[in-house]
């Protein structure tokens, strides 16, 4: 099948490369010429495990192409995916300008009946807006469908190639048939395709992110209670996670959630509900709890040093919003940096993949190429992102190189008892 994918970010590129791997002829289009140049050279513009090999293989087989021309990409395509960004606007609603612009460009480029599919996360009612935008310029018949994407950055290729389910929102029988056919290779049996009305498909994506975020905020609030009553959130987590009705995913207390999706999608969901006068009290509380949680690590460091960090050197291990990605959008590390800087600290950071993005964001912190170089001479090491290489620190090495021995474990992955036995002051989240 000939496919076009509009937008080559985390979602568009994984989608394009993924479908090409199943033998489809895919053209990815982006308005950013630098990005397209990078892709044509065989490089990936961001860090995502496994993606480089997937792109290299399929570009080499001449079934994955990159262009800046929507006209070229859409020409002859049976399916066109919209995978452009939907960032937050100031009032929290999703900014649909990229989606609508892309829809118009696609509409003007159609060469025959085409199924236009939204992969971007968009509020309920967007399919109708896309239909109107395409219809205002199209001279060819088309159908609009919703196919929200559930991949996780850091494991996106695996999620795309082996999805637990594929949600298709569509009313047009031809669109449903084309999407079933397209996903045949990915799913082999069709029983993991859920076809539903478009509004439900659009809402399912927001509901999924809101549910996952709710679990995280719930555990973060319980962690605070654990500290006061002398319980350990890690025991509580294991205790409830082994209940099959609850399951053990997304129950880790930590430094709060960030990233390009949860915060903005919660805001957009709340905005949709508010504008329709339907209160979502749980979602409000999840956001409030998270804003508070993102400040916890900084507060812990400040409290330890008596409120001022003048003359103190604080090392941050991990800057990306989660491991296995270079994405720093709304990372808790950014909040921590602001807090520490505000209190007069010198900050030195290390991350296996995100340092280029931290530098580009203009945080101005010192960046070093190795976790132990960051810790050298530091008064405290704060773990924000639990990359594998940061989970099991060499305590002896830290002991001999740090100036004062404070460890703030924002992910509860360091060995608390060992750290204390080695003479560190150890702070976790919701424990001891
Ligand atoms: P991104 O910001 O990384 O990439 C978007 C790309 O679209 C950019 O490269 C931009 O130049 C390009 N673009 C914008 N307008 C264009 C146009 N008219 N024509 C061609 N290209 C255009 O975005 P992302 O993280 O891939 O997210 C895309 C969408 O998918 C968002 O709605 C997001 O909420 C959703 N989503 C993201 C993830 C994730 O983990 N990142 C997961 C699921 C869903």
């Amino acid at each position: 099948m000939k496919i076009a994918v509009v937008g080559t970010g985390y979602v568009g590129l994984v989608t394009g490369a993924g479908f090409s791997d199943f033998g489809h002829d895919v053209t990815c289009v982006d308005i950013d010429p630098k990005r397209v140049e990078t892709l044509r050279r065989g490089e990936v513009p961001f860090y995502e495990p496994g993606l480089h090999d997937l792109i290299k293989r399929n570009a080499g087989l001449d079934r994955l192409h990159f262009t800046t021309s929507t006209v070229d990409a859409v020409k002859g395509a049976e399916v066109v995916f919209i995978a452009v960004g939907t960032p937050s606007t100031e009032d929290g609603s999703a900014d649909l300008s990229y989606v609508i612009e892309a829809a118009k460009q696609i509409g003007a480029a159609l060469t025959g009946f085409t199924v236009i599919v939204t992969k971007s996360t968009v509020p309920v009612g967007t399919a109708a807006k896309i239909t109107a935008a395409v219809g205002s310029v199209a001279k060819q018949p088309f159908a609009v469908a919703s196919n929200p994407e559930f991949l996780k950055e850091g494991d996106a290729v695996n999620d795309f190639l082996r999805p637990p389910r594929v949600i298709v929102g569509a009313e047009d029988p031809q669109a449903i048939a084309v999407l079933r056919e397209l996903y045949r290779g990915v799913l082999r049996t069709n029983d993991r395709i859920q076809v539903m009305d478009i509004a439900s498909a659009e809402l399912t994506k927001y509901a999924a992110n809101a549910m996952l975020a709710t679990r995280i905020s719930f555990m973060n609030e319980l962690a605070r209670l654990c500290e006061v009553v002398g319980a350990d959130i890690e025991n509580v987590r294991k205790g409830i996670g082994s209940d099959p009705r609850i399951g053990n995913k997304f129950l880790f207390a930590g430094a709060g959630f960030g990233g390009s999706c949860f915060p903005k999608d919660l805001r957009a969901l709340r905005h949709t509900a508010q504008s329709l006068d339907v209160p979502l009290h749980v979602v409000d509380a999840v956001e409030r709890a998270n804003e508070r949680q993102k400040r916890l690590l900084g507060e812990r460091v400040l409290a330890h040093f008596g409120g001022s960090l003048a003359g103190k050197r604080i090392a941050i291990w991990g800057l990306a919003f989660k491991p296995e990605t270079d994405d720093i959008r709304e990372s808790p590390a950014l909040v921590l940096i602001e807090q520490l800087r505000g209190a007069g600290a010198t900050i030195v950071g290390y991350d296996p993949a995100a340092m280029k993005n931290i530098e580009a964001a203009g945080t101005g912190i010192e960046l070093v190429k190795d976790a132990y170089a960051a810790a050298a001479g530091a008064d405290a090491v704060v773990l924000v992102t639990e990359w594998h290489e940061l989970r099991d620190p060499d305590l002896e090495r830290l002991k001999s190189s740090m100036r004062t021995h404070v460890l703030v474990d924002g992910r509860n992955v360091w060995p608390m008892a060992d750290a204390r036995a080695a003479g560190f002051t150890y702070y976790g989240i919701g424990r001891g």
Side-chain angles (χ1 to χ4, degrees), residues 47 153 254-256 258-259 297 315-334 336-337 349-355 358 371 381-393 408-414:
Y47 177 82
E153 284 177 25
L297 298 183
I316 303 179
W317 280 14
L319 301 159
F321 85 92
K322 67 174 182 180
E324 299 298 333
T325 184
D326 61 355
D327 200 339
I328 60 161
R329 290 179 275 186
E330 304 207 33
S331 171
L334 298 173
L336 176 65
I337 288 168
Y350 167 74
D351 187 283
M355 295 207 287
I358 283 283
V381 178
V382 187
L383 179 77
V384 178
T385 322
E386 70 280 28
W387 286 88
H388 284 165
E389 67 170 78
L390 304 177
R391 286 186 188 196
D392 193 14
V408 182
D409 175 2
R411 300 292 172 180
N412 287 347
V413 291
W414 287 342

Side-chain angles (χ1 to χ4, degrees), residues 328-410:
I328 60 161
R329 290 179 275 186
E330 304 207 33
S331 171
L334 298 173
V335 175
L336 176 65
I337 288 168
E338 278 311 307
Q339 284 171 291
L340 298 179
R341 175 176 293 126
T346 300
I347 307 165
V348 51
Y350 167 74
D351 187 283
M355 295 207 287
K356 238 163 87 185
N357 285 338
I358 283 283
E359 203 166 3
T363 62
I365 67 168
E366 189 184 327
L367 293 166
V368 290
K369 287 201 165 72
D370 158 321
Y372 291 93
D379 293 288
V381 178
V382 187
L383 179 77
V384 178
T385 322
E386 70 280 28
W387 286 88
H388 284 165
E389 67 170 78
L390 304 177
R391 286 186 188 196
D392 193 14
D394 181 337
L395 293 172
E396 267 181 38
R397 197 168 161 193
L398 286 180
K399 193 78 199 289
S400 59
S401 72
M402 288 174 69
R403 184 161 59 186
T404 51
H405 301 114
V406 179
L407 299 180
V408 182
D409 175 2

Side-chain angles (χ1 to χ4, degrees), residues 6 9-11 30-31 84 86 105 121 149 153 261 264 329:
V6 180
Y10 292 85
V11 168
D30 205 291
I31 43 170
V84 301
T86 47
Q105 289 162 349
T121 302
E149 182 51 61
E153 284 177 25
C261 290
K264 92 166 164 59
R329 290 179 275 186

